[in-house]
Amino acid sequence: MGRIGIVTEETADLPQEIIERNQIEIVPVILNWPELEGLLGHNTFQKMRELEKRGGISFGKTAQPSPQDFLERYRSSFKLFDKVLCVTLTSKLSGSYDSALLAKSIIEPEYQEEIHIVDSLNASCGQALVVLKAIDLIESGKEVEGIAQELQEFVPHVHLFAMLEDPKWLEASGRISHTVANLMRGMMKLGIRPVLTFKNGALVPAGLKIRAKDIADALFKQLQSDTQHLGKSGNQIRVAITHGDNPGGAERLKGLIEKGLVNSEVIFVNIINNVVGAPCGPNALALAWCEMQ
């Protein structure tokens, strides 16, 4: 039996090798979108492009993980570990955190006190950085109670920035109005690229409007601006990148960071999960960063 196991959702977008190496239990997320069934494509983003070619802009329905989903992953983790640390998608966008808590309350009594749940207040690569911090703390030999406390203190220091190729999918999902979508399109035509970020767990405009030739360049400039005050600290900056079936843009962003940002490490590049990625749309790019101390 190991010491501490990790449970998180598919929304963290962790690469498979990290999941397998750390024996992380993954709670699945569901996107029900009948219009995509039978369309050509290896992933949801490719099928969304095909749907658009055919003149359709519908949107699927997402379903948060149920308490049963978490309960099953807790039990699986307890087969290998003595204690469980669960990191959830931001509670401001999903009821996953509540499902995780409910699952803890109905699991066998002997396990209830051994489960510790942390709201990442983030998603995708931001949620992943919270999980990676948990792995670091577990490997350092700390007890689960202290790890959970440190993670809660760490969460506000994880910064995610995302940019969309077009806000039409976000509009179709109902998350922004037609007026706001048109405002964003107008800015893009002027070469100004709006930035989305998480603030207290909610996805909001970052308030910065960056002029750049493409999304990768714009995100790199955002990261540069956000980290310039850290230049003299000497601390490592950990970065994770996710994308909406845009591997070329993601690799370009990775290259810009590695060449232009001192003391930085891009820990992984991965595709965005369906539930978070569908409203962002094909070709979206996101990065999350944190300072390592």
Side-chain angles (χ1 to χ4, degrees):
M1 294 282 287
R3 291 181 58 252
I4 304 169
I6 296 174
V7 172
T8 195
E9 297 133 295
E10 201 174 342
T11 51
D13 293 330
L14 289 162
Q16 192 61 32
E17 60 267 24
I18 292 177
I19 294 170
E20 292 177 358
R21 183 169 66 245
N22 296 281
Q23 297 176 293
I24 299 172
E25 289 291 330
I26 299 295
V27 179
V29 294
I30 299 169
L31 174 67
N32 183 22
W33 198 343
E35 290 85 351
L36 296 189
E37 294 178 9
L39 295 183
L40 295 175
H42 297 294
N43 57 55
T44 295
F45 300 104
Q46 293 177 7
K47 292 182 179 184
M48 290 169 73
R49 293 189 185 109
E50 183 66 21
L51 178 66
E52 187 177 12
K53 286 179 184 177
R54 300 185 182 198
I57 295 285
S58 64
F59 197 79
K61 293 183 179 180
T62 60
Q64 69 188 47
S66 68
Q68 184 65 32
D69 292 326
F70 280 96
L71 188 62
E72 290 174 5
R73 272 65 191 184
Y74 290 162
R75 286 173 173 159
S76 292
S77 194
F78 277 121
K79 292 178 182 178
L80 298 173
F81 300 98
D82 301 317
K83 301 176 186 293
V84 168
L85 182 67
C86 178
V87 178
T88 72
L89 173 67
T90 172
S91 57
K92 300 297 178 65
L93 291 182
S94 167
S96 293
Y97 180 71
D98 290 336
S99 289
L101 288 174
L102 184 54
K104 175 180 175 176
S105 72
I106 60 178
I107 199 171
E108 292 77 10
E110 63 267 27
Y111 293 132
Q112 290 179 4
E113 295 303 314
E114 310 303 334
I115 298 172
H116 297 262
I117 303 168
V118 176
D119 182 351
S120 75
L121 294 179
N122 223 305
S124 190
C125 44
Q127 184 179 352
L129 288 186
V130 179
V131 175
L132 293 175
K133 179 67 172 180
I135 293 170
D136 291 342
L137 293 171
I138 290 170
E139 290 178 346
S140 74
K142 295 187 177 183
E143 295 300 324
V144 68
E145 294 82 2
I147 291 173
Q149 180 61 40
E150 284 198 46
L151 285 182
Q152 289 172 348
E153 295 169 359
F154 173 73
V155 160
H157 301 287
V158 176
H159 312 276
L160 179 143
F161 298 106
M163 291 188 177
L164 317 181
E165 183 180 64
D166 191 300
K168 59 192 167 193
W169 299 104
L170 201 59
E171 180 185 357
S173 74
R175 288 173 171 82
I176 61 172
S177 68
H178 181 65
T179 300
V180 171
N182 279 340
L183 179 62
M184 292 176 69
R185 292 186 190 100
M187 293 169 60
M188 291 175 179
K189 287 180 180 178
L190 297 174
I192 301 171
R193 301 189 178 273
V195 185
L196 298 174
T197 190
F198 279 102
K199 184 175 182 180
N200 298 322
L203 190 63
V204 298
L208 297 174
K209 304 171 183 65
I210 298 174
R211 291 188 179 273
K213 60 183 179 181
D214 58 28
I215 295 176
D217 187 49
L219 276 178
F220 173 64
K221 288 180 178 178
Q222 173 67 65
L223 182 60
Q224 271 189 319
S225 173
D226 219 45
T227 59
Q228 61 184 355
H229 68 286
L230 302 176
K232 295 180 181 180
S233 71
N235 290 336
Q236 186 86 357
I237 298 168
R238 175 180 281 176
V239 182
I241 298 170
T242 50
H243 62 89
D245 192 46
N246 185 7
E251 287 300 323
R252 172 167 151 70
L253 176 58
K254 180 175 183 282
L256 288 169
I257 294 170
E258 291 176 339
K259 291 178 182 177
L261 205 61
V262 178
N263 294 333
S264 66
E265 178 189 13
V266 178
I267 199 74
F268 72 78
V269 175
N270 202 12
I271 195 166
I272 304 174
N273 67 87
N274 290 343
V275 168
V276 175
C280 296
N283 298 328
L285 275 180
L287 70 79
W289 74 271
C290 62
E291 185 180 8
M292 303 302 295
Q293 296 181 345

